[in-house]
Amino acid sequence: RPETKQSLAKMASALDHLHASRIRGAALWVCHMPDIASFAAGLLGLSPSSLYVTPGTTLALNVSFPLQPGKAMLVWAMQPEYLAALAH
């Protein structure tokens, strides 16, 4: 889908910019559906329709630069209910 490729390219460009700025360690990237599912699916090498992220879910992906489709690893995914329980 053209809009998915466009969305992926836009987010990949932003992440490449972060990488070029020499930030090391972890970075937090906040996205919303459907962009986050498309972006994560692309990095994981999955079809965009194969990954559904419920609202409030947090994903942790391990990526290397330059970004390449299918080269990321899903470290964890947490539903909002679990994250809320951690706060108590």
Side-chain angles (χ1 to χ4, degrees):
R1 294 179 18 169
E3 65 274 7
T4 299
K5 287 184 181 182
Q6 198 172 32
S7 175
L8 266 174
K10 184 184 281 188
M11 284 192 246
S13 174
L15 283 177
D16 283 338
H17 177 72
L18 281 175
H19 176 66
S21 68
R22 305 285 184 226
I23 294 173
R24 295 291 178 248
L28 175 65
W29 194 257
V30 178
C31 302
H32 298 277
M33 284 294 286
D35 295 332
I36 187 61
S38 297
F39 186 56
L43 291 174
L44 294 166
L46 304 171
S47 156
S49 63
S50 68
L51 183 63
Y52 178 74
V53 181
T54 59
T57 298
T58 303
L59 303 175
L61 298 176
N62 187 348
V63 299
S64 58
F65 292 92
L67 294 174
Q68 296 179 29
K71 298 294 182 179
M73 180 177 73
L74 178 63
V75 179
W76 50 259
M78 289 191 199
Q79 300 291 323
E81 296 80 14
Y82 181 77
L83 292 171
L86 289 176
H88 297 284

